Amino acid sequence: MKENGRKQGAVSPCAACKLLRRRCAPDCVFAPYFPADEPQKFANVHRVFGASNVNKMLQELPMQQRGDAVSSMVYEANARIRDPVYGCVGAISSLQQQIDVLQTQLAVAQAEVVHLRMRHIPF
Amino acid sequence: MKENGRKQGAVSPCAACKLLRRRCAPDCVFAPYFPADEPQKFANVHRVFGASNVNKMLQELPMQQRGDAVSSMVYEANARIRDPVYGCVGAISSLQQQIDVLQTQLAVAQAEVVHLRMRHIPF
């Protein structure tokens, strides 16, 4: 058990504790969501939100909601790293534009349906 | 000029420097975007991203993009405080659902247009 330089309690640290160079306690708040084999996942969240904020945000949530919170933070962090100016707000704008286009197309199609149906009404 | 306890250089600090209790330098990176009269704007961004991350993210951007970056960070921070589990990713899911509904409605309307047009084709 001396291979990784530890004499005892040699539990492999999670990705967060590894990056933060701290002991990964059995009740580590990060460990269930940031496994050691996905280091980039925590690195991005840490870069955007900061480990201490992520820790605080998770601690404030019940256990059963933490997985979803981590997923949404990872999504936001990745978006912010990809697009440092707009982050995932860029995706929101683009989706809203798509909705505008679809609503216009739907209005046009529905108006045409009404118009075509009118032509079938017998005089 | 002694009213606020300063003898000289008594420039009113921006909301960020006020919260962080530091001197607001003339080249403060926060000052153009976080005026003293909007303390909550910085408080939310600080709570979610952390002042040092916001500082770093702004420093890495050219001046002309920083205003948009601040707006998107403020939006994200407000969304995360309102919804600590999903943040603004909740808005993205909801917009995507709206798009799915609209696409279905559009497909139905367009199919009806085709069907009604067929009835007008003379045999």
Side-chain angles (χ1 to χ4, degrees):
Chain A
M1 290 296 263
K2 276 190 171 180
E3 276 173 34
N4 59 4
R6 289 181 186 192
K7 285 181 189 168
Q8 54 184 12
V11 177
S12 176
C14 72
C17 292
K18 206 167 176 182
L19 191 93
L20 302 170
R21 295 181 185 197
R22 59 177 212 176
R23 198 177 71 86
C24 193
D27 62 346
C28 170
V29 74
F30 297 122
Y33 316 108
F34 298 104
D37 59 353
E38 291 181 76
Q40 205 54 47
K41 192 176 165 188
F42 183 76
N44 289 355
V45 159
H46 175 47
R47 191 170 143 200
V48 172
F49 295 102
S52 111
N53 278 357
V54 176
N55 188 347
K56 219 186 302 165
M57 289 192 266
L58 290 180
Q59 297 276 13
E60 286 168 1
L61 290 173
M63 288 295 277
Q64 69 272 20
Q65 294 194 301
R66 292 184 189 178
D68 283 348
V70 165
S71 300
S72 70
M73 278 189 269
V74 168
Y75 183 96
E76 272 187 58
N78 292 344
R80 176 67 55 187
I81 285 167
R82 215 168 35 239
D83 178 353
V85 180
Y86 297 103
C88 75
V89 179
I92 291 179
S93 306
S94 143
L95 291 171
Q96 274 170 336
Q97 278 171 18
Q98 274 186 62
I99 288 178
D100 289 347
V101 169
L102 283 167
Q103 279 174 333
T104 306
Q105 289 176 327
L106 181 61
V108 168
Q110 285 175 334
E112 191 165 359
V113 167
V114 170
H115 174 74
L116 289 168
R117 275 194 191 147
M118 294 277 281
R119 290 166 63 179
H120 287 291
I121 297 172
F123 294 100
Chain B
M1 291 296 265
K2 276 191 174 182
E3 275 172 34
N4 60 3
R6 290 180 187 195
K7 285 180 186 167
Q8 56 183 12
V11 176
S12 176
C14 73
C17 292
K18 206 168 177 181
L19 191 93
L20 303 171
R21 293 180 186 198
R22 60 175 214 177
R23 198 177 71 86
C24 194
D27 62 347
C28 170
V29 72
F30 298 122
Y33 316 107
F34 298 105
D37 59 353
E38 290 180 77
Q40 204 55 47
K41 191 176 164 189
F42 183 77
N44 289 354
V45 159
H46 175 45
R47 194 171 141 197
V48 172
F49 296 101
S52 110
N53 278 357
V54 177
N55 188 347
K56 220 185 302 166
M57 289 193 267
L58 291 180
Q59 297 276 13
E60 287 169 1
L61 291 172
M63 288 295 276
Q64 70 273 20
Q65 294 194 301
R66 294 185 186 177
D68 284 348
V70 165
S71 299
S72 70
M73 279 189 267
V74 168
Y75 184 96
E76 269 189 66
N78 291 345
R80 176 68 54 186
I81 285 167
R82 217 169 34 240
D83 180 352
V85 180
Y86 297 103
C88 74
V89 180
I92 291 178
S93 304
S94 143
L95 292 172
Q96 272 168 337
Q97 278 170 20
Q98 274 186 63
I99 287 177
D100 288 346
V101 169
L102 284 167
Q103 279 174 333
T104 305
Q105 290 177 328
L106 181 61
V108 168
Q110 285 175 336
E112 192 166 357
V113 167
V114 170
H115 173 75
L116 289 168
R117 277 196 189 145
M118 295 277 281
R119 289 165 66 178
H120 286 291
I121 296 172
F123 295 101

